[in-house]
Amino acid sequence: SKGTYPYYMLKEIDEQPAVLRRLVQEYINEDGTFNFDPKLIDALKEADRLYIVAAGTSYHAGLVGKPIIEQIAQIPVEVELASEFGYHMPLLSKKPFFIYLSQSGETADSRQVLVETNKRGFPSLTLTNVEASTLSREADFTLLLKAGPEIAVASTKAYTAQITVETILAQALAVAKGLPSANDLDVKHQLGLAANGIQTIVDSKDDIEQLAHEFFANTRNAFYIGRGIDYWASLEAALKLKEVSYIQAEGFAAGELKHGTISLIEEGTPVAAIITDKETASHTRGNVQEVQARGAKTLKIVSEDLAQAGDQIIIPTLETVLSPLVSIVPTQLLAYYATLQRGYNVDQPRNLAKSVTVE
Ligand code: M6R
């Protein structure tokens, strides 16, 4: 039930710190070892490339999973849209391993690919929130997201749960492979910081509500921009906003704007930038100035270590590759409040179903 919450979406955004802590407890033992099926880890060790297959928000969690797994476990990862991959399968590596990300475990586009990879005898893992779901039953291995039922059509806690499980799994694989760098990143500590960080953001929801009002009122379109990991977060931020508020929102690689899309910027167009990577922060800030000079209204979501006077939303600093765990949360809240201000039912946007069981 929603309890005292007006909508499931807000409840589910608020649950994220608890979900992260639950996943750490579930998959990391007290002594720092990991609670994964050793057969799963063996199968992953044998693979020469991982293919993540998913749709929508789960696809976006896969895009973030790629640099996480590549950095921590040192194995190449490809991320594929299920609806495309089923019909346009690229040349695969010699020993592929397939990871299906799906909150519901019922997405037909993903299932269609799983049927095909099963036919070809490739090993597979499903990361899902629903035990005994179709994708879970048909894959070799399952890891549960333990996020509790996600009722709102807009996926929120499943996204952060998927990134969390990808992170822990990457670390377990790094340790199993005996990588010298396996413990460079204290994953448990980082996930603890992320949980606390999300908590501070959801505790400041009144400020974000105010910002949503100032920033998205009376607009038909909006942009989220970022580079690298912040670009992947921007794609999810834009999907969340458009899906529930019907504002036409685009997530964009900040440096690509000037190659065409900047012509859409008019007086008052909202452009939100996500800035958590110190390598590219000054470049993205430059892009913000470019759009500002063309009349855009801008909003900066910046990690603490890179914050400057005038940045509106400051988020806790994490290892860069994990930053979407926190950077996405203000964008979920912005989408939520922009929708309420427009008077729409945020839990049930038009034309959408919670799980998409047709191809
Ligand atoms: O259940 P799944 O994770 O497989 O669903 C995939 C997409 O349909 C889903 O993420 C969709 O994009 C959400 N409505 C986004 O909020």
Side-chain angles (χ1 to χ4, degrees), residues 308-330:
Q308 294 180 4
D311 295 343
Q312 296 96 324
I313 300 181
I314 312 298
I315 56 174
T317 305
L318 296 181
E319 172 77 14
T320 304
V321 87
L322 300 181
S323 68
L325 286 172
V326 291
S327 68
I328 207 62
V329 180

Side-chain angles (χ1 to χ4, degrees), residues 48-333:
D48 63 358
R49 189 177 294 261
L50 309 184
Y51 292 83
I52 296 180
V53 180
T57 289
S58 293
Y59 172 69
H60 294 155
L63 292 175
V64 173
K66 173 184 162 84
I68 292 175
I69 297 169
E70 289 188 340
Q71 179 182 318
I72 299 177
Q74 302 285 314
I75 177 167
V77 180
E78 302 300 331
V79 190
E80 309 284 352
L81 282 169
S83 56
E84 284 295 309
F85 197 71
Y87 298 97
H88 306 99
M89 215 175 270
L91 187 62
L92 299 176
S93 68
K94 289 211 175 68
K95 286 176 159 272
F97 184 103
F98 283 82
I99 300 180
Y100 294 88
L101 298 187
S102 177
Q103 189 285 132
S104 64
E106 301 296 341
T107 298
D109 289 323
S110 302
R111 176 169 188 249
Q112 185 241 350
V113 184
L114 176 57
V115 167
E116 179 61 28
T117 58
N118 275 348
K119 229 186 274 170
R120 300 201 198 178
F122 298 138
S124 57
L125 161 70
T126 292
L127 245 65
T128 182
N129 202 27
V130 182
E131 212 171 336
S133 55
T134 305
L135 286 164
S136 158
R137 280 185 278 110
E138 296 180 359
D140 298 323
F141 302 97
T142 296
L143 291 175
L144 290 174
L145 298 173
K146 305 265 171 192
E150 194 184 62
I151 311 286
V153 164
S155 184
T156 53
K157 60 181 178 174
Y159 173 81
T160 42
Q162 281 165 334
I163 295 172
T164 302
V165 178
E166 288 170 323
T167 303
I168 303 173
L169 187 62
Q171 175 82 359
L173 183 55
V175 170
K177 286 167 73 170
L179 296 180
S181 59
N183 293 310
D184 283 3
L185 190 65
D186 186 343
V187 158
K188 194 171 174 181
H189 176 67
Q190 286 288 322
L191 294 173
L193 289 179
N196 295 343
I198 297 172
Q199 192 60 54
T200 32
I201 298 165
V202 298
D203 287 344
S204 70
K205 48 169 81 71
D206 292 349
D207 299 339
I208 296 179
E209 177 172 13
Q210 185 57 36
L211 277 172
H213 191 61
E214 290 163 18
F215 196 60
F216 291 123
N218 308 317
T219 189
R220 291 198 57 236
N221 61 351
F223 292 90
Y224 273 98
I225 63 171
R227 290 170 183 251
I229 201 71
D230 297 327
Y231 171 37
W232 303 139
S234 294
L235 292 180
E236 172 57 11
L239 174 59
K240 214 77 322 170
L241 181 64
K242 69 182 125 184
E243 163 171 48
V244 291
S245 75
Y246 315 144
I247 295 169
Q248 182 166 15
E250 229 184 310
F252 233 80
E256 274 296 295
L257 277 180
K258 60 182 175 297
H259 296 290
T261 309
I262 200 166
S263 67
L264 290 171
I265 305 296
E266 294 177 311
E267 196 56 42
T269 306
V271 179
I274 302 178
I275 304 176
T276 71
D277 181 356
K278 66 171 173 311
E279 297 289 323
T280 54
S282 64
H283 295 287
T284 304
R285 286 189 186 278
N287 301 127
V288 170
Q289 279 165 1
E290 281 158 19
V291 295
Q292 236 164 11
R294 288 156 180 87
K297 203 155 60 169
T298 61
L299 173 78
K300 280 166 276 178
I301 300 172
V302 187
S303 58
E304 227 159 10
D305 60 329
L306 301 171
Q308 294 180 4
D311 295 343
Q312 296 96 324
I313 300 181
I314 312 298
I315 56 174
T317 305
L318 296 181
E319 172 77 14
T320 304
V321 87
L322 300 181
S323 68
L325 286 172
V326 291
S327 68
I328 207 62
V329 180
T331 76
Q332 294 170 339
L333 288 164

Side-chain angles (χ1 to χ4, degrees), residues 346-357:
V346 74
D347 281 345
Q348 294 205 299
R350 65 187 179 210
N351 308 339
L352 287 169
K354 181 64 182 162
S355 58
V356 184
T357 52

